[in-house]
Amino acid sequence: MFNSKIIRAMTQDGSARVFVIDSTAIVNAAIGYHHTAPTATAALGRVLTATSMMGTLLKDPGNTVTVNIRGDGIAGSVLAVSDYSGNVKGYIQNPDADLPLKSNGKLDVSGIIGSGSLSVVRDTGMREPFVGVTNLVSGEIAEDITAYYVESEQIPTLCALGVLVDRDYTCKAAGGVLVQLLPYAAEETVTQIEENAHLLVNVSSLFAQGKSCRDVMDLALNGIPYDLFDEIDVAYSCDCSRDRMMRALATVGKEDLTRILAEEGRIECECHFCDQKYSFTAEDLGL
């Protein structure tokens, strides 16, 4: 199990709730599973980082949130799923997606994402899950998450995300900040949060310099009294299983399963999130 950390706080005047994550271990786990190229690592890492924080906004155990970035760039779909505790898993359709660095020396995440949409699905155990969809505004992920909350859920939000890839293609540092204004937020608090935003532009560099989640929280809420109310260990965690794969196969038509078994002798399934492989015979499937 690869562990990262989220801390959560609220301003003392009740104007905003704030989340900070050091997601370095989560991103390194994803690299280990998916063998991503540097720009793909940055894209997937940002989506995992944001989704983990969003997961901790869920109300009950058993709830999940899925964030899916569908762009027309070479990355294809980038998807992450988080549970109530912030544990997250994800994949990128093209893990080899990579482009030359931008003129400012940054990885060209927007270049591999392209234009498209961002969807958020919250499964809270109700008959129909909540689904929100917005157009991508930049493909840089953080700005797209911000726009999603403002447009789809009418929650003024500040999101900062960063993934710093090392020379050996591992993740040197990754992290994020999510600030959400609450109803009747004090104008002076809102103004101060906006003024602090520039301090979070290179959030991954802050963690690379040895800053803690609390240090980054102090920057996000510089000049604003706040109460830290918890600290959560989070991880890249896939909950796939042989039984779950078998239930998925049960949704495939008997005719198709019989045909594959006749051609291959067995059916091989692979989990998109952790690359775990499962093999099934006709006897396993009752055919």
Side-chain angles (χ1 to χ4, degrees):
M1 183 73 74
F2 299 83
N3 283 13
S4 288
K5 191 177 299 292
I6 291 177
I7 63 172
R8 305 191 293 181
M10 184 174 292
T11 61
Q12 289 184 359
D13 64 0
S15 293
R17 56 187 179 187
V18 188
F19 307 77
V20 177
I21 180 173
D22 177 348
S23 55
T24 308
I26 284 173
V27 178
N28 271 317
I31 293 170
Y33 286 124
H34 301 299
H35 311 291
T36 42
T39 316
T41 293
L44 177 58
R46 291 180 192 181
V47 176
L48 287 166
T49 298
T51 306
S52 178
M53 289 189 288
M54 293 166 70
T56 65
L57 286 164
L58 296 166
K59 293 183 178 180
D60 298 303
N63 294 176
T64 63
V65 61
T66 300
V67 176
N68 193 359
I69 306 289
R70 293 179 178 269
D72 59 8
I74 59 174
S77 178
V78 187
L79 180 145
V81 183
S82 177
D83 65 15
Y84 161 87
S85 300
N87 297 311
V88 68
K89 59 185 180 181
Y91 74 85
I92 182 168
Q93 190 172 359
N94 179 12
D96 296 322
D98 208 18
L99 286 173
L101 297 176
K102 295 191 291 187
S103 58
N104 61 3
K106 300 291 186 181
L107 291 166
D108 192 1
V109 172
S110 62
I112 68 168
I113 294 295
S115 301
S117 65
L118 180 155
S119 66
V120 174
V121 179
R122 281 201 301 271
D123 188 345
T124 58
M126 306 295 287
R127 179 174 296 179
E128 296 293 334
F130 167 86
V131 181
V133 182
T134 55
N135 291 326
L136 296 174
V137 296
S138 72
E140 292 288 342
I141 313 303
E143 293 94 333
D144 303 303
I145 295 291
T146 297
Y148 162 77
Y149 272 115
V150 172
E151 295 174 21
S152 186
E153 301 195 23
Q154 293 75 54
I155 302 175
T157 298
L158 167 67
C159 182
L161 303 168
V163 175
L164 187 60
V165 180
D166 215 338
R167 292 182 179 180
D168 62 358
Y169 291 0
T170 62
C171 176
K172 185 174 183 179
V177 179
L178 190 68
V179 182
Q180 294 194 320
L181 298 183
L182 299 172
Y184 312 110
E187 185 175 339
E188 59 270 23
T189 302
V190 175
T191 299
Q192 187 63 52
I193 288 171
E194 291 173 344
E195 291 179 358
N196 293 342
H198 75 280
L199 301 173
L200 307 172
V201 171
N202 294 311
V203 65
S204 57
S205 295
L206 295 173
F207 286 110
Q209 294 164 17
K211 301 288 188 185
S212 66
C213 287
R214 185 64 182 268
D215 293 330
V216 176
M217 180 75 76
D218 287 342
L219 292 174
L221 295 177
N222 181 45
I224 304 171
Y226 71 88
D227 292 318
L228 186 70
F229 57 85
D230 65 5
E231 182 177 296
I232 309 167
D233 287 327
V234 293
Y236 189 105
S237 178
C238 184
D239 55 354
C240 73
S241 66
R242 185 175 178 81
D243 286 345
R244 179 167 291 188
M245 284 293 182
M246 191 172 291
R247 289 197 298 272
L249 286 174
T251 65
V252 179
K254 183 177 180 180
E255 183 178 331
D256 289 333
L257 292 175
T258 301
R259 175 180 54 78
I260 296 170
L261 287 166
E263 294 173 356
E264 306 292 337
R266 61 181 58 244
I267 293 176
E268 300 283 348
C269 300
E270 183 174 334
C271 176
H272 284 305
F273 299 107
C274 70
D275 294 339
Q276 176 69 45
K277 294 179 175 62
Y278 299 91
S279 178
F280 300 94
T281 64
E283 184 180 358
D284 293 330
L285 300 173
L287 298 174

